Amino acid sequence: MTSTGRFVRRQVWLWPIIAAVILGIVGWVMRANVESSVKHTLAEDLMTIRDAEVKALKIWLDLQKENAAAISHDPGVKTYMERLAAALDDESVSNELLAASPNQNAWRSELRLWLEAHDYSGYVIFDLQGRVMAAQHADAIGRDNLPIPEGLLKKIAAGETVITHPFHSALLLEDEEGNLRGGLPTMFVVAPVRNTAGEVIAAMGLRIRPEHDFTEILAIDRPGDSGATFAFNRDGLML
């Protein structure tokens, strides 16, 4: 027997180890490739879902703005807003008298059909200084300390229609069962109201229940059976 043959016979135990190492390397490479492919596919799927959700939300938000603008341009709405603005300018009129004014009842009747037609759950009307001219809840009328998003009234004065982020209501609102509760989530589409001369005299806010369309749009195209979509503002607060 040659020395080469004896060497091979003595080292034969190494071959299974070498084969195992080779197979391990091949398996690791294949696993890395599969994992990379899965992550890439998942990332593409998530971006597709994100883009679809964003597009659906934009369409819905634009529709809310169009609805609010149409209501604010209604001749009857302008007439009642001018009357309410005149009453608010009269310093002799208390908040109680303002809330009990026939103009408030006329305004509610004027707006009721609009609210029902577009599924808005309430309203609040501010003057450009932030004082409440009219509201669904009489106890809010005349108040000037309700939280208004920064810069909103300036945008309204410039003729822009704005949609707020969802936030906790400072007023008692009816929940789904009709019970009054504080701190319920709410959001508003706010449109400028102009007088007959074309001047912006008020901000009309129409209340949207965020748990309806806003949340439902985010749940339409969810990833998998248990996936969920979340919306955050620029400060990282979950909306």
Side-chain angles (χ1 to χ4, degrees):
M1 181 181 294
T2 65
S3 59
T4 301
R6 285 195 299 270
F7 175 80
V8 170
R9 292 185 60 186
R10 289 174 183 173
Q11 307 300 323
V12 70
W13 59 273
L14 287 174
W15 295 113
I17 297 177
I18 294 173
V21 170
I22 293 174
L23 288 174
I25 293 173
V26 172
W28 180 83
V29 171
M30 291 181 63
R31 179 182 180 279
N33 289 336
V34 170
E35 183 178 0
S36 176
S37 177
V38 169
K39 286 182 177 179
H40 180 71
T41 301
L42 180 59
E44 287 188 336
D45 289 345
L46 290 176
M47 286 189 289
T48 299
I49 292 173
R50 179 204 62 189
D51 293 344
E53 301 282 13
V54 168
K55 186 173 183 179
L57 276 177
K58 284 184 175 180
I59 293 173
W60 177 75
L61 292 172
D62 288 342
L63 177 61
Q64 300 309 312
K65 290 182 179 181
E66 290 174 3
N67 290 341
I71 297 172
S72 69
H73 283 85
D74 180 74
V77 169
K78 289 184 177 182
T79 298
Y80 288 117
M81 281 298 95
E82 288 182 318
R83 293 176 183 174
L84 289 172
L88 199 63
D89 287 339
D90 187 349
E91 296 182 356
S92 66
V93 177
S94 65
N95 291 347
E96 290 75 15
L97 288 176
L98 182 63
S101 168
N103 287 324
Q104 295 287 351
N105 293 329
W107 165 252
R108 291 189 183 96
S109 298
E110 178 73 21
L111 196 58
R112 180 175 59 83
L113 293 178
W114 286 105
L115 296 178
E116 292 175 355
H118 298 290
D119 198 29
Y120 296 121
S121 60
Y123 67 91
V124 61
I125 313 297
F126 294 95
D127 66 14
L128 297 184
Q129 286 71 49
R131 188 180 180 191
V132 179
M133 300 167 58
Q136 179 184 12
H137 301 290
D139 57 351
I141 297 174
R143 290 179 58 176
D144 59 2
N145 60 349
L146 293 182
I148 299 176
E150 184 179 356
L152 185 144
L153 291 178
K154 288 184 179 180
K155 292 179 180 179
I156 295 299
E160 183 178 348
T161 299
V162 180
I163 296 183
T164 70
H165 289 159
F167 62 94
H168 293 293
S169 173
L171 300 173
L172 294 177
L173 298 175
E174 291 185 357
D175 60 18
E176 295 286 359
E177 286 73 37
N179 301 315
L180 288 177
R181 293 174 51 195
L184 287 177
T186 189
M187 63 189 300
F188 285 85
V189 54
V190 189
V193 180
R194 301 177 185 273
N195 59 19
T196 52
E199 302 167 330
V200 177
I201 59 172
M204 180 185 67
L206 304 174
R207 182 179 178 241
I208 300 169
R209 292 183 184 272
E211 66 270 24
H212 288 179
D213 292 343
F214 181 80
T215 299
E216 289 173 357
I217 288 173
L218 296 179
I220 290 175
D221 193 9
R222 67 182 188 182
D225 295 330
S226 59
T229 302
F230 302 93
F232 298 85
N233 69 7
R234 66 185 62 189
D235 298 319
L237 177 67
M238 187 185 294
L239 302 177

